[in-house]
Amino acid sequence: VFNVFCLYGNVEKVKFMKSKPGAAMVEMADGYAVDRAITHLNNNFMFGQKLNVWWGWGLGGLWGV
């Protein structure tokens, strides 16, 4: 996950969700990186699973999920 999101900007943190298997939150350095990641990754497939990528405000900044 880290390596894929790094293609679109600086990744500051990746957090895998224990309560929701197969889900992760990715903290990007800036909003432009988040927009690029959403544009290129949303609704694509990785390891046979469809990616749903959107933005939100987390505790540490912008998150792509």
Side-chain angles (χ1 to χ4, degrees):
V1 173
F2 179 85
N3 289 339
V4 171
F5 276 81
C6 278
L7 295 172
Y8 305 104
N10 291 334
V11 173
E12 295 194 356
K13 191 185 304 183
V14 176
K15 192 175 200 178
F16 292 95
M17 310 303 291
K18 290 181 183 177
S19 61
K20 191 172 180 183
M25 294 190 340
V26 179
E27 184 176 353
M28 307 287 293
D30 57 71
Y32 297 113
V34 174
D35 287 339
R36 283 191 301 270
I38 291 170
T39 300
H40 292 93
L41 295 176
N42 193 37
N43 295 321
N44 281 304
F45 288 85
M46 181 186 299
F47 304 117
Q49 289 189 318
K50 186 177 179 181
L51 296 175
N52 293 310
V53 184
W54 65 88
W55 66 270
W57 290 99
L59 295 174
L62 292 167
W63 290 84
V65 182

Short mmCIF file of all heavy atoms in Angstrom, two decimals:
data_model
loop_
_atom_site.label_atom_id
_atom_site.label_comp_id
_atom_site.label_asym_id
_atom_site.label_seq_id
_atom_site.Cartn_x
_atom_site.Cartn_y
_atom_site.Cartn_z
N VAL A 1 0.84 -1.19 0.00
CA VAL A 1 0.00 0.00 0.00
C VAL A 1 0.88 1.24 0.00
O VAL A 1 0.65 2.17 -0.78
CB VAL A 1 -0.96 -0.01 1.22
CG1 VAL A 1 -1.71 1.29 1.34
CG2 VAL A 1 -1.93 -1.17 1.11
N PHE A 2 1.88 1.25 0.85
CA PHE A 2 2.79 2.40 0.93
C PHE A 2 3.42 2.69 -0.43
O PHE A 2 3.41 3.83 -0.90
CB PHE A 2 3.88 2.13 1.98
CG PHE A 2 4.88 3.23 2.12
CD1 PHE A 2 4.62 4.31 2.94
CD2 PHE A 2 6.08 3.19 1.42
CE1 PHE A 2 5.55 5.34 3.07
CE2 PHE A 2 7.01 4.20 1.55
CZ PHE A 2 6.74 5.29 2.37
N ASN A 3 3.95 1.66 -1.07
CA ASN A 3 4.64 1.85 -2.36
C ASN A 3 3.70 2.35 -3.45
O ASN A 3 4.11 3.17 -4.28
CB ASN A 3 5.30 0.54 -2.80
CG ASN A 3 6.49 0.19 -1.94
OD1 ASN A 3 7.07 1.04 -1.29
ND2 ASN A 3 6.85 -1.08 -1.93
N VAL A 4 2.47 1.90 -3.47
CA VAL A 4 1.53 2.34 -4.49
C VAL A 4 1.16 3.80 -4.28
O VAL A 4 1.17 4.60 -5.21
CB VAL A 4 0.26 1.45 -4.49
CG1 VAL A 4 -0.81 2.02 -5.39
CG2 VAL A 4 0.62 0.04 -4.93
N PHE A 5 0.86 4.19 -3.05
CA PHE A 5 0.47 5.57 -2.79
C PHE A 5 1.65 6.53 -2.94
O PHE A 5 1.45 7.70 -3.26
CB PHE A 5 -0.17 5.70 -1.40
CG PHE A 5 -1.63 5.37 -1.40
CD1 PHE A 5 -2.06 4.05 -1.35
CD2 PHE A 5 -2.59 6.36 -1.46
CE1 PHE A 5 -3.41 3.73 -1.36
CE2 PHE A 5 -3.95 6.07 -1.47
CZ PHE A 5 -4.35 4.75 -1.42
N CYS A 6 2.87 6.04 -2.75
CA CYS A 6 4.06 6.89 -2.93
C CYS A 6 4.20 7.38 -4.37
O CYS A 6 4.86 8.40 -4.60
CB CYS A 6 5.32 6.14 -2.53
SG CYS A 6 5.64 6.13 -0.78
N LEU A 7 3.61 6.69 -5.30
CA LEU A 7 3.67 7.12 -6.70
C LEU A 7 2.98 8.47 -6.90
O LEU A 7 3.25 9.17 -7.88
CB LEU A 7 3.02 6.09 -7.61
CG LEU A 7 3.70 4.72 -7.67
CD1 LEU A 7 2.83 3.74 -8.44
CD2 LEU A 7 5.08 4.84 -8.28
N TYR A 8 2.11 8.87 -5.99
CA TYR A 8 1.31 10.09 -6.16
C TYR A 8 1.65 11.19 -5.17
O TYR A 8 1.05 12.26 -5.22
CB TYR A 8 -0.17 9.72 -6.08
CG TYR A 8 -0.49 8.64 -7.07
CD1 TYR A 8 -0.68 7.33 -6.68
CD2 TYR A 8 -0.51 8.92 -8.44
CE1 TYR A 8 -0.91 6.32 -7.60
CE2 TYR A 8 -0.74 7.92 -9.37
CZ TYR A 8 -0.94 6.63 -8.94
OH TYR A 8 -1.15 5.64 -9.86
N GLY A 9 2.60 10.96 -4.29
CA GLY A 9 3.02 11.99 -3.33
C GLY A 9 3.64 11.36 -2.10
O GLY A 9 3.74 10.14 -1.99
N ASN A 10 4.06 12.20 -1.19
CA ASN A 10 4.70 11.73 0.04
C ASN A 10 3.66 11.12 0.99
O ASN A 10 2.67 11.76 1.34
CB ASN A 10 5.42 12.86 0.75
CG ASN A 10 6.63 13.33 -0.01
OD1 ASN A 10 7.22 12.57 -0.77
ND2 ASN A 10 7.00 14.58 0.18
N VAL A 11 3.93 9.89 1.40
CA VAL A 11 3.07 9.19 2.36
C VAL A 11 3.69 9.37 3.74
O VAL A 11 4.86 9.08 3.94
CB VAL A 11 2.95 7.69 2.01
CG1 VAL A 11 2.20 6.94 3.09
CG2 VAL A 11 2.28 7.51 0.67
N GLU A 12 2.91 9.85 4.67
CA GLU A 12 3.41 10.05 6.02
C GLU A 12 3.08 8.90 6.94
O GLU A 12 3.83 8.60 7.85
CB GLU A 12 2.87 11.36 6.58
CG GLU A 12 3.39 12.55 5.79
CD GLU A 12 3.16 13.88 6.47
OE1 GLU A 12 2.54 13.90 7.54
OE2 GLU A 12 3.64 14.88 5.92
N LYS A 13 1.94 8.22 6.69
CA LYS A 13 1.54 7.14 7.58
C LYS A 13 0.56 6.23 6.87
O LYS A 13 -0.28 6.69 6.10
CB LYS A 13 0.87 7.74 8.81
CG LYS A 13 0.62 6.78 9.94
CD LYS A 13 -0.17 7.42 11.09
CE LYS A 13 0.50 8.65 11.64
NZ LYS A 13 -0.22 9.21 12.79
N VAL A 14 0.66 4.92 7.13
CA VAL A 14 -0.32 3.94 6.67
C VAL A 14 -0.82 3.22 7.91
O VAL A 14 -0.03 2.74 8.72
CB VAL A 14 0.28 2.93 5.68
CG1 VAL A 14 -0.74 1.87 5.30
CG2 VAL A 14 0.81 3.63 4.44
N LYS A 15 -2.13 3.15 8.06
CA LYS A 15 -2.73 2.52 9.23
C LYS A 15 -3.73 1.47 8.75
O LYS A 15 -4.69 1.80 8.06
CB LYS A 15 -3.44 3.59 10.05
CG LYS A 15 -3.87 3.19 11.41
CD LYS A 15 -4.45 4.40 12.12
CE LYS A 15 -4.45 4.19 13.60
NZ LYS A 15 -4.96 5.37 14.29
N PHE A 16 -3.48 0.19 9.08
CA PHE A 16 -4.40 -0.88 8.72
C PHE A 16 -5.45 -1.01 9.80
O PHE A 16 -5.14 -1.01 10.99
CB PHE A 16 -3.64 -2.19 8.52
CG PHE A 16 -2.75 -2.16 7.31
CD1 PHE A 16 -1.40 -1.83 7.43
CD2 PHE A 16 -3.26 -2.42 6.06
CE1 PHE A 16 -0.59 -1.78 6.31
CE2 PHE A 16 -2.46 -2.38 4.93
CZ PHE A 16 -1.12 -2.05 5.07
N MET A 17 -6.70 -1.13 9.38
CA MET A 17 -7.82 -1.15 10.32
C MET A 17 -8.07 -2.55 10.85
O MET A 17 -8.37 -3.46 10.07
CB MET A 17 -9.08 -0.61 9.62
CG MET A 17 -8.88 0.72 8.91
SD MET A 17 -8.27 2.01 9.99
CE MET A 17 -9.68 2.25 11.02
N LYS A 18 -7.96 -2.75 12.16
CA LYS A 18 -8.25 -4.04 12.77
C LYS A 18 -9.75 -4.34 12.74
O LYS A 18 -10.16 -5.48 12.59
CB LYS A 18 -7.76 -4.06 14.21
CG LYS A 18 -6.27 -4.07 14.36
CD LYS A 18 -5.87 -4.11 15.81
CE LYS A 18 -4.36 -4.03 15.95
NZ LYS A 18 -3.95 -4.00 17.36
N SER A 19 -10.55 -3.30 12.88
CA SER A 19 -12.00 -3.49 12.95
C SER A 19 -12.64 -3.71 11.58
O SER A 19 -13.78 -4.14 11.50
CB SER A 19 -12.65 -2.27 13.61
OG SER A 19 -12.40 -1.10 12.85
N LYS A 20 -11.90 -3.42 10.51
CA LYS A 20 -12.44 -3.57 9.15
C LYS A 20 -11.37 -4.23 8.28
O LYS A 20 -10.55 -3.54 7.67
CB LYS A 20 -12.84 -2.21 8.60
CG LYS A 20 -13.64 -2.27 7.34
CD LYS A 20 -14.17 -0.90 6.97
CE LYS A 20 -14.97 -0.97 5.71
NZ LYS A 20 -15.44 0.33 5.27
N PRO A 21 -11.35 -5.55 8.21
CA PRO A 21 -10.32 -6.25 7.42
C PRO A 21 -10.31 -5.79 5.96
O PRO A 21 -11.36 -5.55 5.37
CB PRO A 21 -10.74 -7.71 7.51
CG PRO A 21 -11.57 -7.80 8.75
CD PRO A 21 -12.28 -6.47 8.86
N GLY A 22 -9.13 -5.63 5.42
CA GLY A 22 -8.98 -5.20 4.04
C GLY A 22 -9.02 -3.70 3.86
O GLY A 22 -8.97 -3.21 2.74
N ALA A 23 -9.09 -2.94 4.96
CA ALA A 23 -9.16 -1.48 4.88
C ALA A 23 -7.91 -0.87 5.50
O ALA A 23 -7.32 -1.42 6.42
CB ALA A 23 -10.39 -0.96 5.60
N ALA A 24 -7.52 0.28 4.94
CA ALA A 24 -6.36 1.00 5.48
C ALA A 24 -6.60 2.49 5.33
O ALA A 24 -7.37 2.92 4.47
CB ALA A 24 -5.09 0.60 4.74
N MET A 25 -5.96 3.27 6.19
CA MET A 25 -5.98 4.72 6.06
C MET A 25 -4.56 5.16 5.72
O MET A 25 -3.60 4.71 6.33
CB MET A 25 -6.44 5.37 7.36
CG MET A 25 -7.86 5.04 7.68
SD MET A 25 -8.67 5.94 9.03
CE MET A 25 -7.42 6.60 10.02
N VAL A 26 -4.44 6.01 4.73
CA VAL A 26 -3.13 6.47 4.26
C VAL A 26 -3.07 7.98 4.46
O VAL A 26 -3.88 8.72 3.90
CB VAL A 26 -2.91 6.12 2.77
CG1 VAL A 26 -1.56 6.63 2.31
CG2 VAL A 26 -3.04 4.63 2.56
N GLU A 27 -2.12 8.44 5.24
CA GLU A 27 -1.94 9.88 5.45
C GLU A 27 -0.92 10.40 4.45
O GLU A 27 0.20 9.91 4.39
CB GLU A 27 -1.46 10.17 6.87
CG GLU A 27 -1.35 11.64 7.16
CD GLU A 27 -0.96 11.94 8.59
OE1 GLU A 27 -0.90 11.00 9.41
OE2 GLU A 27 -0.71 13.11 8.88
N MET A 28 -1.35 11.36 3.65
CA MET A 28 -0.49 11.96 2.63
C MET A 28 -0.01 13.32 3.13
O MET A 28 -0.63 13.94 3.99
CB MET A 28 -1.25 12.14 1.33
CG MET A 28 -1.94 10.88 0.79
SD MET A 28 -0.86 9.64 0.09
CE MET A 28 -0.23 10.43 -1.35
N ALA A 29 1.09 13.81 2.56
CA ALA A 29 1.71 15.05 3.02
C ALA A 29 0.88 16.29 2.69
O ALA A 29 0.91 17.26 3.44
CB ALA A 29 3.11 15.19 2.44
N ASP A 30 0.15 16.27 1.57
CA ASP A 30 -0.62 17.45 1.20
C ASP A 30 -1.86 17.07 0.39
O ASP A 30 -1.99 15.94 -0.08
CB ASP A 30 0.23 18.44 0.40
CG ASP A 30 0.83 17.83 -0.85
OD1 ASP A 30 0.06 17.57 -1.79
OD2 ASP A 30 2.06 17.61 -0.87
N GLY A 31 -2.76 18.01 0.24
CA GLY A 31 -4.01 17.77 -0.46
C GLY A 31 -3.85 17.43 -1.93
O GLY A 31 -4.65 16.68 -2.49
N TYR A 32 -2.82 17.98 -2.57
CA TYR A 32 -2.57 17.67 -3.97
C TYR A 32 -2.23 16.19 -4.16
O TYR A 32 -2.66 15.56 -5.12
CB TYR A 32 -1.46 18.54 -4.55
CG TYR A 32 -1.81 20.00 -4.54
CD1 TYR A 32 -1.12 20.90 -3.73
CD2 TYR A 32 -2.84 20.51 -5.35
CE1 TYR A 32 -1.45 22.25 -3.72
CE2 TYR A 32 -3.18 21.85 -5.34
CZ TYR A 32 -2.48 22.71 -4.51
OH TYR A 32 -2.81 24.03 -4.49
N ALA A 33 -1.46 15.64 -3.24
CA ALA A 33 -1.10 14.22 -3.30
C ALA A 33 -2.34 13.36 -3.13
O ALA A 33 -2.51 12.35 -3.81
CB ALA A 33 -0.05 13.89 -2.24
N VAL A 34 -3.22 13.77 -2.22
CA VAL A 34 -4.46 13.04 -2.00
C VAL A 34 -5.31 13.06 -3.26
O VAL A 34 -5.83 12.03 -3.70
CB VAL A 34 -5.25 13.62 -0.81
CG1 VAL A 34 -6.61 12.95 -0.67
CG2 VAL A 34 -4.46 13.49 0.49
N ASP A 35 -5.44 14.23 -3.87
CA ASP A 35 -6.23 14.35 -5.11
C ASP A 35 -5.67 13.47 -6.23
O ASP A 35 -6.42 12.82 -6.95
CB ASP A 35 -6.29 15.80 -5.58
CG ASP A 35 -7.19 16.66 -4.72
OD1 ASP A 35 -8.07 16.11 -4.02
OD2 ASP A 35 -7.01 17.89 -4.74
N ARG A 36 -4.33 13.45 -6.37
CA ARG A 36 -3.72 12.61 -7.40
C ARG A 36 -3.97 11.13 -7.13
O ARG A 36 -4.29 10.36 -8.04
CB ARG A 36 -2.21 12.88 -7.47
CG ARG A 36 -1.85 14.16 -8.19
CD ARG A 36 -0.37 14.25 -8.46
NE ARG A 36 0.45 14.19 -7.25
CZ ARG A 36 0.83 15.26 -6.54
NH1 ARG A 36 0.46 16.46 -6.91
NH2 ARG A 36 1.57 15.12 -5.47
N ALA A 37 -3.84 10.72 -5.86
CA ALA A 37 -4.06 9.32 -5.51
C ALA A 37 -5.52 8.92 -5.77
O ALA A 37 -5.79 7.85 -6.33
CB ALA A 37 -3.70 9.08 -4.05
N ILE A 38 -6.46 9.78 -5.39
CA ILE A 38 -7.87 9.48 -5.62
C ILE A 38 -8.15 9.37 -7.12
O ILE A 38 -8.80 8.43 -7.57
CB ILE A 38 -8.77 10.56 -4.98
CG1 ILE A 38 -8.70 10.47 -3.46
CG2 ILE A 38 -10.21 10.42 -5.46
CD1 ILE A 38 -9.36 11.62 -2.73
N THR A 39 -7.64 10.32 -7.90
CA THR A 39 -7.87 10.33 -9.34
C THR A 39 -7.36 9.06 -10.01
O THR A 39 -8.02 8.50 -10.89
CB THR A 39 -7.19 11.56 -9.98
OG1 THR A 39 -7.73 12.74 -9.40
CG2 THR A 39 -7.37 11.59 -11.48
N HIS A 40 -6.19 8.59 -9.60
CA HIS A 40 -5.58 7.46 -10.28
C HIS A 40 -5.91 6.09 -9.68
O HIS A 40 -5.82 5.08 -10.38
CB HIS A 40 -4.06 7.64 -10.30
CG HIS A 40 -3.62 8.76 -11.18
ND1 HIS A 40 -3.42 10.04 -10.70
CD2 HIS A 40 -3.39 8.82 -12.49
CE1 HIS A 40 -3.06 10.83 -11.70
NE2 HIS A 40 -3.04 10.10 -12.80
N LEU A 41 -6.28 6.03 -8.41
CA LEU A 41 -6.48 4.73 -7.76
C LEU A 41 -7.93 4.36 -7.51
O LEU A 41 -8.25 3.17 -7.44
CB LEU A 41 -5.71 4.69 -6.43
CG LEU A 41 -4.20 4.78 -6.52
CD1 LEU A 41 -3.59 4.83 -5.13
CD2 LEU A 41 -3.64 3.62 -7.31
N ASN A 42 -8.82 5.33 -7.37
CA ASN A 42 -10.20 5.01 -7.04
C ASN A 42 -10.84 4.16 -8.12
O ASN A 42 -10.68 4.41 -9.32
CB ASN A 42 -11.01 6.29 -6.82
CG ASN A 42 -12.33 6.02 -6.17
OD1 ASN A 42 -12.44 5.16 -5.31
ND2 ASN A 42 -13.35 6.75 -6.57
N ASN A 43 -11.55 3.13 -7.69
CA ASN A 43 -12.26 2.18 -8.57
C ASN A 43 -11.35 1.30 -9.42
O ASN A 43 -11.81 0.64 -10.34
CB ASN A 43 -13.27 2.90 -9.48
CG ASN A 43 -14.38 3.54 -8.67
OD1 ASN A 43 -14.84 2.96 -7.69
ND2 ASN A 43 -14.79 4.73 -9.06
N ASN A 44 -10.06 1.26 -9.11
CA ASN A 44 -9.15 0.32 -9.76
C ASN A 44 -9.04 -0.92 -8.90
O ASN A 44 -9.51 -0.96 -7.77
CB ASN A 44 -7.77 0.95 -9.97
CG ASN A 44 -7.76 1.87 -11.16
OD1 ASN A 44 -8.09 1.47 -12.25
ND2 ASN A 44 -7.39 3.12 -10.92
N PHE A 45 -8.39 -1.95 -9.43
CA PHE A 45 -8.26 -3.21 -8.70
C PHE A 45 -6.81 -3.46 -8.29
O PHE A 45 -5.88 -3.18 -9.03
CB PHE A 45 -8.75 -4.37 -9.57
CG PHE A 45 -10.24 -4.38 -9.73
CD1 PHE A 45 -10.85 -3.61 -10.71
CD2 PHE A 45 -11.03 -5.13 -8.88
CE1 PHE A 45 -12.22 -3.61 -10.86
CE2 PHE A 45 -12.41 -5.13 -9.01
CZ PHE A 45 -13.00 -4.37 -10.00
N MET A 46 -6.66 -3.98 -7.07
CA MET A 46 -5.35 -4.38 -6.55
C MET A 46 -5.53 -5.73 -5.86
O MET A 46 -6.38 -5.87 -4.98
CB MET A 46 -4.82 -3.34 -5.54
CG MET A 46 -3.46 -3.71 -4.99
SD MET A 46 -2.87 -2.61 -3.69
CE MET A 46 -2.81 -1.07 -4.52
N PHE A 47 -4.76 -6.71 -6.28
CA PHE A 47 -4.83 -8.07 -5.73
C PHE A 47 -6.26 -8.61 -5.75
O PHE A 47 -6.71 -9.27 -4.83
CB PHE A 47 -4.28 -8.10 -4.31
CG PHE A 47 -2.87 -7.58 -4.19
CD1 PHE A 47 -2.59 -6.46 -3.44
CD2 PHE A 47 -1.82 -8.20 -4.86
CE1 PHE A 47 -1.31 -5.96 -3.34
CE2 PHE A 47 -0.53 -7.72 -4.77
CZ PHE A 47 -0.28 -6.60 -4.01
N GLY A 48 -6.98 -8.30 -6.83
CA GLY A 48 -8.33 -8.83 -7.00
C GLY A 48 -9.42 -8.09 -6.23
O GLY A 48 -10.57 -8.50 -6.27
N GLN A 49 -9.07 -7.02 -5.52
CA GLN A 49 -10.06 -6.25 -4.77
C GLN A 49 -10.16 -4.84 -5.34
O GLN A 49 -9.16 -4.23 -5.68
CB GLN A 49 -9.70 -6.16 -3.29
CG GLN A 49 -9.85 -7.45 -2.54
CD GLN A 49 -9.69 -7.24 -1.05
OE1 GLN A 49 -8.82 -6.50 -0.62
NE2 GLN A 49 -10.52 -7.90 -0.27
N LYS A 50 -11.39 -4.35 -5.43
CA LYS A 50 -11.62 -3.01 -5.93
C LYS A 50 -11.25 -1.98 -4.86
O LYS A 50 -11.61 -2.13 -3.69
CB LYS A 50 -13.10 -2.83 -6.31
CG LYS A 50 -13.40 -1.51 -6.95
CD LYS A 50 -14.86 -1.45 -7.36
CE LYS A 50 -15.18 -0.12 -7.98
NZ LYS A 50 -16.60 -0.05 -8.35
N LEU A 51 -10.49 -0.97 -5.26
CA LEU A 51 -10.09 0.08 -4.33
C LEU A 51 -11.15 1.18 -4.29
O LEU A 51 -11.62 1.63 -5.33
CB LEU A 51 -8.76 0.71 -4.77
CG LEU A 51 -7.54 -0.18 -4.77
CD1 LEU A 51 -6.36 0.58 -5.34
CD2 LEU A 51 -7.24 -0.66 -3.37
N ASN A 52 -11.51 1.58 -3.10
CA ASN A 52 -12.37 2.74 -2.89
C ASN A 52 -11.51 3.76 -2.14
O ASN A 52 -11.19 3.57 -0.97
CB ASN A 52 -13.60 2.39 -2.07
CG ASN A 52 -14.52 1.45 -2.81
OD1 ASN A 52 -14.85 1.72 -3.95
ND2 ASN A 52 -14.89 0.36 -2.19
N VAL A 53 -11.13 4.82 -2.84
CA VAL A 53 -10.22 5.81 -2.25
C VAL A 53 -10.95 7.14 -2.16
O VAL A 53 -11.52 7.61 -3.15
CB VAL A 53 -8.95 5.98 -3.12
CG1 VAL A 53 -7.97 6.92 -2.46
CG2 VAL A 53 -8.30 4.63 -3.38
N TRP A 54 -10.98 7.73 -0.99
CA TRP A 54 -11.58 9.04 -0.80
C TRP A 54 -10.79 9.80 0.25
O TRP A 54 -9.90 9.27 0.88
CB TRP A 54 -13.06 8.92 -0.42
CG TRP A 54 -13.33 8.27 0.90
CD1 TRP A 54 -13.40 8.89 2.12
CD2 TRP A 54 -13.55 6.89 1.15
NE1 TRP A 54 -13.65 7.97 3.10
CE2 TRP A 54 -13.75 6.73 2.53
CE3 TRP A 54 -13.60 5.78 0.34
CZ2 TRP A 54 -14.00 5.50 3.12
CZ3 TRP A 54 -13.84 4.56 0.94
CH2 TRP A 54 -14.04 4.43 2.30
N TRP A 55 -11.11 11.08 0.42
CA TRP A 55 -10.36 11.89 1.37
C TRP A 55 -11.20 12.15 2.61
O TRP A 55 -12.42 12.08 2.60
CB TRP A 55 -9.89 13.20 0.76
CG TRP A 55 -11.02 14.14 0.42
CD1 TRP A 55 -11.68 14.20 -0.78
CD2 TRP A 55 -11.63 15.11 1.26
NE1 TRP A 55 -12.66 15.15 -0.73
CE2 TRP A 55 -12.65 15.73 0.52
CE3 TRP A 55 -11.40 15.53 2.56
CZ2 TRP A 55 -13.44 16.74 1.05
CZ3 TRP A 55 -12.20 16.52 3.09
CH2 TRP A 55 -13.19 17.12 2.34
N GLY A 56 -10.51 12.44 3.68
CA GLY A 56 -11.16 12.80 4.94
C GLY A 56 -10.15 13.49 5.82
O GLY A 56 -8.95 13.48 5.56
N TRP A 57 -10.62 14.12 6.84
CA TRP A 57 -9.73 14.77 7.81
C TRP A 57 -9.52 13.85 8.97
O TRP A 57 -10.45 13.50 9.68
CB TRP A 57 -10.32 16.10 8.29
CG TRP A 57 -10.30 17.12 7.22
CD1 TRP A 57 -11.34 17.48 6.41
CD2 TRP A 57 -9.19 17.91 6.81
NE1 TRP A 57 -10.94 18.44 5.52
CE2 TRP A 57 -9.63 18.73 5.75
CE3 TRP A 57 -7.87 18.00 7.23
CZ2 TRP A 57 -8.79 19.62 5.11
CZ3 TRP A 57 -7.05 18.89 6.59
CH2 TRP A 57 -7.50 19.69 5.56
N GLY A 58 -8.28 13.44 9.17
CA GLY A 58 -7.94 12.58 10.30
C GLY A 58 -7.29 13.40 11.39
O GLY A 58 -7.21 14.62 11.33
N LEU A 59 -6.81 12.73 12.39
CA LEU A 59 -6.15 13.40 13.52
C LEU A 59 -4.87 14.09 13.08
O LEU A 59 -4.52 15.13 13.60
CB LEU A 59 -5.84 12.40 14.63
CG LEU A 59 -7.07 11.78 15.31
CD1 LEU A 59 -6.63 10.70 16.29
CD2 LEU A 59 -7.87 12.84 16.02
N GLY A 60 -4.17 13.49 12.11
CA GLY A 60 -2.88 14.04 11.71
C GLY A 60 -2.89 14.78 10.39
O GLY A 60 -1.85 15.19 9.91
N GLY A 61 -4.04 14.96 9.77
CA GLY A 61 -4.06 15.66 8.50
C GLY A 61 -4.97 14.99 7.49
O GLY A 61 -5.97 14.41 7.86
N LEU A 62 -4.61 15.06 6.23
CA LEU A 62 -5.44 14.50 5.16
C LEU A 62 -5.20 13.00 5.04
O LEU A 62 -4.07 12.55 5.05
CB LEU A 62 -5.09 15.17 3.84
CG LEU A 62 -5.47 16.63 3.73
CD1 LEU A 62 -4.79 17.24 2.50
CD2 LEU A 62 -6.96 16.79 3.64
N TRP A 63 -6.28 12.27 4.91
CA TRP A 63 -6.19 10.81 4.79
C TRP A 63 -6.86 10.36 3.51
O TRP A 63 -7.93 10.85 3.18
CB TRP A 63 -6.90 10.13 5.95
CG TRP A 63 -6.21 10.27 7.24
CD1 TRP A 63 -6.32 11.34 8.10
CD2 TRP A 63 -5.32 9.36 7.85
NE1 TRP A 63 -5.54 11.12 9.19
CE2 TRP A 63 -4.92 9.92 9.08
CE3 TRP A 63 -4.83 8.13 7.49
CZ2 TRP A 63 -4.05 9.26 9.94
CZ3 TRP A 63 -3.97 7.48 8.34
CH2 TRP A 63 -3.58 8.06 9.55
N GLY A 64 -6.27 9.44 2.81
CA GLY A 64 -6.91 8.73 1.72
C GLY A 64 -7.19 7.34 2.20
O GLY A 64 -6.32 6.71 2.78
N VAL A 65 -8.39 6.86 2.02
CA VAL A 65 -8.77 5.57 2.57
C VAL A 65 -9.10 4.61 1.45
O VAL A 65 -9.78 4.96 0.54
CB VAL A 65 -10.00 5.72 3.51
CG1 VAL A 65 -10.36 4.40 4.10
CG2 VAL A 65 -9.72 6.73 4.58
#
